[in-house]
Amino acid sequence: MKFFIDTADIAEIRDLAQSGMVDGVTTNPTLIAKSGRNIMEVIAEICDIVDGPVSAETPATDYETMLKEGLKLAAIAKNVAVKVPLTPDGLKTCVALRKEGIMVNVTLCFSAAQALLAAKAGASFISPFVGRLDDININGLDLIDDICTIYSQYDYIETEVLVASVRQPEHVTAAARMGADVATLPPKILRQLYNHPLTEKGLEMFLADWKSTGQSIL
Ligand code: G3P
């Protein structure tokens, strides 16, 4: 499973990129607003730090403007993936950008029917939002299972399932069991994946016992 980091915070991206765990970055208008940065500048900076796909979302909602914005965003760097919402104009923009060989991440997906449309539009990634479905008492992981099952019926579908709106480590491991290609993780969640109390306890015991040997390797 590939891990993308879901943030536009440069310091966080720099720190986590050194872990070797980061395969890409996703942003959206909310994360850009949170960063307080100019989108063109911060996306360029992120693309310098991370070689993998960096998602930058078009804020427009009409096809003509989304296409112009998407082309401008894609011109920032070769690893930009233009993010478009799952709307008729968004998917029309996806088709046009894919014809230019530009990566497209179709976002705000909440149903398998929508995911089918995104695959037909040739999306590079589909972003189903697990946490926001959980928020309204619908099991978001069921959608991931549905999409992975449907996509696996057709060899020609190359759209990668990019699990978004991840709120807890279980979202990651459950989606991995279902065969999702990517999970985009808030920095906090990626850090939580490392943690287990028995690892901590076991390491403490190893270090104490090693100390008692009085040995050193270096
Ligand atoms: O990439 C989509 C993600 O940022 C949305 O997460 O927690 O706002 O639903 P959330």
Side-chain angles (χ1 to χ4, degrees), residues 6 28 83 129 132 164-165 167:
D6 195 36
N28 60 40
K83 224 181 192 185
F129 280 33
R132 293 194 192 183
S165 189
R167 304 276 176 78

Side-chain angles (χ1 to χ4, degrees), residues 69-80:
E69 289 178 343
L71 290 168
K72 197 166 173 204
L73 289 168
I76 293 172
K78 63 176 175 20
N79 55 322
V80 166

Side-chain angles (χ1 to χ4, degrees), residues 1-23:
M1 178 180 246
K2 285 178 270 189
F3 287 165
F4 291 2
I5 298 297
D6 195 36
T7 185
D9 181 320
I10 291 291
E12 286 281 34
I13 294 168
R14 262 194 219 291
D15 178 52
L16 289 168
Q18 288 163 23
S19 69
M21 296 294 146
V22 177
D23 302 303

Side-chain angles (χ1 to χ4, degrees), residues 6 26-28 30-31 83 107 127 129 131-132 135 162 164-167 184 186:
D6 195 36
T26 53
T27 71
N28 60 40
T30 303
L31 295 172
K83 224 181 192 185
T107 190
S127 291
F129 280 33
R132 293 194 192 183
D135 291 346
L162 194 169
S165 189
V166 169
R167 304 276 176 78
T184 191

Side-chain angles (χ1 to χ4, degrees), residues 122-134:
S124 313
F125 303 100
I126 180 68
S127 291
F129 280 33
V130 176
R132 293 194 192 183
L133 283 167
D134 289 356

Side-chain angles (χ1 to χ4, degrees), residues 20-51:
M21 296 294 146
V22 177
D23 302 303
V25 174
T26 53
T27 71
N28 60 40
T30 303
L31 295 172
I32 296 293
K34 231 165 132 183
S35 75
R37 298 284 305 276
N38 169 281
I39 184 170
M40 305 304 282
E41 289 169 10
V42 75
I43 294 298
E45 219 170 310
I46 295 171
C47 289
D48 279 345
I49 301 167
V50 175
D51 294 337

